[in-house]
Amino acid sequence: MAITAEVSEDGIGNRGMPDNIIFIGGKPFMNYVTGVVMQFTTKNAGDVIIKARGKFISRAVDVAEVSAKRFLDNSVEVSGIRIDSEGFRNIEGRDIRVSTIEIKLSRNRQ
């Protein structure tokens, strides 16, 4: 999974997703933390959404906490958490469900 999508002039990435969404997968942990920090610092994002599913949910929580508390020095906070599940057909043809999470980080309004 990509950390962020490429951005076009309208602010929408090449997959039709906004640039401020970080998808958590199997890349090294610090790649995701860097992606979150870069969104707030260099792209001046007001919000960043961290998305994960299945076994990567705990990594998404860790990325949110490390980004907000260590690298951004409490200048951002968790402003929302959404949990859900998705159903799809696996490669064996069985219908399965997987848990999902979206963690929204926002700049502190001071």
Side-chain angles (χ1 to χ4, degrees):
M1 289 188 184
I3 295 176
T4 57
E6 295 177 13
V7 181
S8 60
E9 291 177 19
D10 60 0
I12 303 296
N14 60 356
R15 293 186 181 178
M17 300 298 289
D19 192 37
N20 65 335
I21 297 178
I22 308 292
F23 293 94
I24 305 298
K27 290 186 179 179
F29 177 80
M30 286 306 296
N31 287 16
Y32 301 109
V33 173
T34 302
V36 171
V37 172
M38 294 284 288
Q39 289 297 316
F40 282 113
T41 57
T42 62
K43 301 212 177 191
N44 206 23
D47 302 314
V48 174
I49 299 171
I50 300 168
K51 292 186 176 188
R53 35 183 228 183
K55 66 182 182 179
F56 297 114
I57 289 174
S58 62
R59 180 178 282 200
V61 173
D62 293 342
V63 167
E65 290 296 301
V66 169
S67 299
K69 293 184 176 169
R70 289 203 179 170
F71 284 87
L72 295 168
D73 198 27
N74 293 317
S75 63
V76 300
E77 63 186 1
V78 175
S79 61
I81 298 172
R82 195 181 100 177
I83 58 172
D84 201 358
S85 61
E86 292 179 1
F88 64 93
R89 190 171 304 257
N90 67 7
I91 56 176
E92 289 93 30
R94 290 187 295 171
D95 291 329
I96 60 171
R97 295 201 66 75
V98 64
S99 298
T100 63
I101 191 168
E102 290 184 12
I103 304 168
K104 183 177 182 181
L105 297 177
S106 300
R107 290 189 184 276
N108 287 337
R109 313 288 185 225
Q110 297 175 347

